[in-house]
Amino acid sequence: MAHTGLLQRLNCQEYKNWMKAGQCLLLLKKSLQEFVASEMRVFHKQLSSRIPPPKAKCQCKAKRMQFNPRCPVCVEWKNHILDHHTNRNGDVHWGNCDPSMWSGHYWEVAKAYMPRGCTDKKEPQACDASALLNLLTTCDRFKGPDLSKVREVIKCRNELMHSSDMKVSSAWLKDFGNKIQNFVSEFRHVPGLKEEGSKIQAVLLSNWAILEQSMDTYDGVTLECDAAVSLSPICDLEMLMIDEMLQELYYQLEEVDTLSEKDLDSVQKMQNFISEHKDLQSFFEADIDKLALLLKKQTELKVGPNQE
Ligand SMILES: [Zn+2]
């Protein structure tokens, strides 16, 4: 019974709920990509027509939330980007962008409207749901629909990604499903989104029961569920979600020196969870070491360097 641990984990209702919600966000992201890309291309064209092209090579660099342009073209771009930013007096993650590419690459401009961690995302396909949803709320190109419906989905996404035991209740999932449907009806003008909404509904209603069979199926395991998925995509989804959680944690740590007790507890829980499962352990080996080092550093910071 080599798969007992894996089967138990994948068949835990609350863990399944957590993954189903992740799958819904992936579907949502997929259906938004094209729409967001075409809107941002038009937006970029409009801004470009008002800003003179660079005469010399731009050497400007942005870091985290800091950007002090050194060339007149970037001064113009910064002003125009801020003019359309709904949170211009709050956090703007300039570090996502390479300002020298603003004139020629629409996506480098789009990233000024996204949360931290998008620096190496060179196209909409590389961005997660959170990046695209945040773009909808912070760039006024998308004003018109009730954006509180977007914020509700973003809030759920954050709860999901900060759930350190990687579990959510069935009541939470139901509420999440309603919020996604509210979002879909608010953005029904997005091509294909309505159809994607039905697929999302199907994921929420599916069973995702995974049974071990003696027959010759995928690696000795077969999957019984209403949605057209097999075990391998479920494992891929699981890895993807855990990886997203880890990346978010690392970004958070780049910005703060010390973690709160609650965050420390979350890191510990994540480390334990990954270590408890052999398949995850081997996949995330480097991350387990990284987490252990982080925890050690945090404990030393709390105790002080001279006390042991
Ligand atoms: Zn510049």
Side-chain angles (χ1 to χ4, degrees), residues 58-60 70-71 74 99:
C58 157
Q59 308 272 358
C60 303
R70 286 162 181 240
C71 76
C74 284

Side-chain angles (χ1 to χ4, degrees), residues 173-215:
L173 190 68
K174 191 165 179 271
D175 183 52
F176 169 73
N178 291 339
K179 283 172 178 161
I180 292 248
Q181 293 312 324
N182 291 343
F183 171 85
V184 170
S185 20
E186 201 59 37
F187 282 80
R188 54 188 175 275
H189 55 286
V190 175
L193 188 61
K194 213 174 135 232
E195 292 73 18
E196 213 64 36
S198 315
K199 280 193 210 163
I200 288 172
Q201 206 57 31
V203 169
L204 292 170
L205 295 173
S206 63
N207 185 18
W208 279 20
I210 297 161
L211 309 169
E212 183 151 8
Q213 305 279 340
S214 51
M215 63 180 91

